[in-house]
Amino acid sequence: MAYTVGQVAKVASVTVRTLHHYDEIGLLSPSGRTTAGYRRYDDADLERLQLVLYYRELGFPLEEIAAIIDDPAADPAAHLRRQHDLLTVRIKRLQEMVTAIEFAMEASKLNIQLTPEERFEVFGDFNPEEHEAEAEQRWGDSEAYRESNRRASRYSKDDWLRIKAENEDWGRRIVAALASGAPADSPEAMELAEEHRQIISRWFYECSYEVHTGLADMYLADERFTRHYENIAPGLAAYLNEAIHANAISRA
């Protein structure tokens, strides 16, 4: 069966311009053309396009995709392993950025007294002040917001680096608990939930068990928080939510 470039673009959710570009660089050339010169794609072309989009989604550059698909001696598994390593590094960086966003949203408006160089060391490319408006809108009338703002305004670069290190260390251990198969209401998971509550209380505002369970529910209700925890480990958002609730029931 023959398909026009417009039909292929619609089926594959790509633009016609993208298909033209793939043709121009020899990555995906249509098997036929009409007498008027219009591109016509067959089923084999669509199968090749599927492979191209698969590797593109994984972050492979176009020239490397062509090498993988066209070179019979290429080892796709080796390419995937290398790309896996690159993506793992990228995911770690994104997780760190999302962690900073989480602090900004939970800690509210951050009046951080840091130089530009210190801000970069602590937050990287992420600017927590970009989220001030939303934080103020959601929590501006709360005492927790005001207290968090008061504390944050006094923190030095070393304070923020300690907060970051504490959170990352806690994150590694909650992921390990999830991976071990420990139930969310196990002593280990509840202890980590309690530590999470204490980190918030120590650095930002007094986080009661009621407030903590409210945050836990937000981790599932707000897709940004859910995505943050799911990017760290699949199932972590629900696991942490359940552990926080179990801990509150156990201790409150």
Side-chain angles (χ1 to χ4, degrees), residues 140-158:
D141 293 333
S142 69
E143 177 56 32
Y145 178 93
R146 291 187 288 271
E147 175 62 20
S148 177
N149 193 37
R150 283 193 294 269
R151 295 193 199 180
S153 66
R154 298 193 298 265
Y155 290 155
S156 66
K157 180 193 74 171
D158 289 340

Side-chain angles (χ1 to χ4, degrees), residues 36-235:
Y38 293 111
R39 296 171 175 84
R40 285 293 182 268
Y41 297 83
D42 61 18
D43 291 337
D45 296 330
L46 265 62
E47 290 177 5
R48 181 180 176 91
L49 178 58
Q50 276 189 314
L51 285 174
V52 170
L53 296 179
Y54 167 71
Y55 284 111
R56 192 76 179 110
E57 183 68 20
L58 293 177
F60 284 86
L62 296 180
E63 61 272 15
E64 192 166 342
I65 294 173
I68 296 172
I69 295 176
D70 294 330
D71 184 358
D75 182 1
H79 285 281
L80 287 171
R81 283 192 297 271
R82 182 177 62 79
Q83 195 65 10
H84 176 273
D85 292 340
L86 293 173
L87 288 172
T88 298
V89 172
R90 189 187 307 171
I91 288 170
K92 182 177 184 298
R93 173 60 182 146
L94 290 173
Q95 288 170 356
E96 291 172 351
M97 292 174 65
V98 174
T99 296
I101 290 173
E102 182 177 20
F103 274 125
M105 293 179 68
E106 289 184 5
S108 344
K109 188 176 182 179
L110 302 179
N111 181 21
I112 305 170
Q113 304 300 317
L114 299 177
T115 67
E117 293 78 11
E118 289 171 335
R119 283 173 178 264
F120 187 81
E121 182 178 352
V122 173
F123 297 108
D125 295 331
F126 166 70
N127 179 8
E129 292 180 348
E130 293 177 0
H131 300 270
E132 287 181 3
E134 179 180 359
E136 185 169 9
Q137 181 180 9
R138 294 181 68 169
W139 300 297
D141 293 333
S142 69
E143 177 56 32
Y145 178 93
R146 291 187 288 271
E147 175 62 20
S148 177
N149 193 37
R150 283 193 294 269
R151 295 193 199 180
S153 66
R154 298 193 298 265
Y155 290 155
S156 66
K157 180 193 74 171
D158 289 340
D159 291 325
W160 286 109
L161 289 174
R162 279 195 292 273
I163 293 170
K164 180 180 178 182
E166 275 191 27
N167 195 66
E168 289 177 348
D169 176 64
W170 173 86
R172 285 189 290 271
R173 287 182 285 117
I174 192 73
V175 168
L178 172 64
S180 73
D185 60 354
S186 66
E188 178 185 3
M190 288 194 294
E191 188 61 36
L192 285 163
E194 176 64 14
E195 184 178 338
H196 181 266
R197 187 185 72 85
Q198 291 177 5
I199 289 174
I200 296 172
S201 294
R202 180 163 56 254
W203 291 105
F204 298 110
Y205 54 85
E206 184 58 37
C207 184
S208 67
Y209 290 106
E210 181 180 2
V211 170
H212 201 210
T213 54
L215 288 174
D217 291 340
M218 187 174 64
Y219 296 160
L220 295 182
D222 190 315
E223 64 178 10
R224 290 166 297 183
F225 286 101
T226 304
R227 184 168 55 249
H228 162 57
Y229 286 113
E230 292 301 295
N231 283 339
I232 295 175

